[in-house]
Amino acid sequence: DTSILLSTMTFFGLTALGPQNVFSVTSTTYRYLQVFDEDDFTQAWVKVNKQSKQSKKSNLGAVFTALFNGPVPATDKAFLENAFDETFETPETISYESFIKIMIRLRDEARADERKLEGKPKPTCEYISSNDFHLSIKKNAAMKNEVQTKQTIPLTSSQEFGWQAPPRLDPPVAGREGSDITKFAAELIKNGIYY
């Protein structure tokens, strides 16, 4: 039936567009763990550990990579490392049950942090009023924080230019040897002429 095909394609097209709020996702404070559910955690565990109920500490990195389908975002990495730092039943292993409990706790913390920001300016915002923003533009006031410290990627084409600072060039440490005219002028100055 064509209508079913079109409705499934439409649904797929809408979900394939990405996150609902691109501004919050590009924030350096956004925690991606909040989008996962318990099945996602289980699938990542099974992908790495198969049906084993125990995992080595060294396998956790692979489990997290499987969960995120790539490298762990920097905003979640520190939380994961801290949570799994001392939670092993034996020195180098963790059980599936402990893993799930910790991941659900981290996810719930991330969701709670996001709920605290609802209706308030996000950490990427420096102004809560357009009047304040326009006034600071008229005064040519500098922003408190650089955009690169608030967002992970540029959002506009004007931000793309200069997003990554060019490597700094070290100034030469040895002076240039002067030309004959410069040497002559230096000698004149030493002898009091052109003083």
Side-chain angles (χ1 to χ4, degrees), residues 18-32 34 73-75 114 122-125 146-156 159 163:
Q20 294 294 321
N21 186 350
V22 70
F23 297 106
S24 66
V25 174
T26 60
S27 169
T28 55
T29 60
Y30 184 81
R31 291 176 55 195
Y32 293 88
Q34 63 186 324
T75 54
E114 194 67 19
K122 305 294 186 231
T124 55
C125 296
E146 293 292 325
V147 178
Q148 292 89 339
T149 62
K150 299 185 284 184
Q151 297 170 198
T152 56
I153 59 171
L155 297 178
T156 64
Q159 288 177 346
W163 186 263

Side-chain angles (χ1 to χ4, degrees), residues 109-155:
E109 287 173 5
R111 287 180 178 173
D113 289 345
E114 194 67 19
R115 275 193 300 275
K116 287 178 189 174
L117 295 175
E118 286 178 5
K120 298 177 183 173
K122 305 294 186 231
T124 55
C125 296
E126 291 193 24
Y127 300 97
I128 57 173
S129 162
S130 61
N131 291 335
D132 292 343
F133 177 67
H134 289 295
L135 183 64
S136 68
I137 288 176
K138 286 180 184 177
K139 292 181 177 180
N140 201 18
M143 295 284 186
K144 295 175 187 164
N145 297 315
E146 293 292 325
V147 178
Q148 292 89 339
T149 62
K150 299 185 284 184
Q151 297 170 198
T152 56
I153 59 171
L155 297 178

Side-chain angles (χ1 to χ4, degrees), residues 173-184:
V173 289
R176 285 185 171 173
E177 186 176 317
S179 66
D180 292 337
I181 296 172
T182 307
K183 289 178 186 175
F184 178 73

Side-chain angles (χ1 to χ4, degrees), residues 81-138:
E81 288 173 353
N82 290 338
F84 286 96
D85 199 24
E86 300 175 7
T87 57
F88 294 95
E89 283 79 12
T90 61
E92 291 297 318
T93 62
I94 187 169
S95 68
Y96 168 75
E97 291 81 19
S98 296
F99 170 79
I100 291 295
K101 284 179 188 175
I102 293 169
M103 293 304 289
I104 290 173
R105 178 179 54 86
L106 290 173
R107 182 205 54 204
D108 292 343
E109 287 173 5
R111 287 180 178 173
D113 289 345
E114 194 67 19
R115 275 193 300 275
K116 287 178 189 174
L117 295 175
E118 286 178 5
K120 298 177 183 173
K122 305 294 186 231
T124 55
C125 296
E126 291 193 24
Y127 300 97
I128 57 173
S129 162
S130 61
N131 291 335
D132 292 343
F133 177 67
H134 289 295
L135 183 64
S136 68
I137 288 176
K138 286 180 184 177

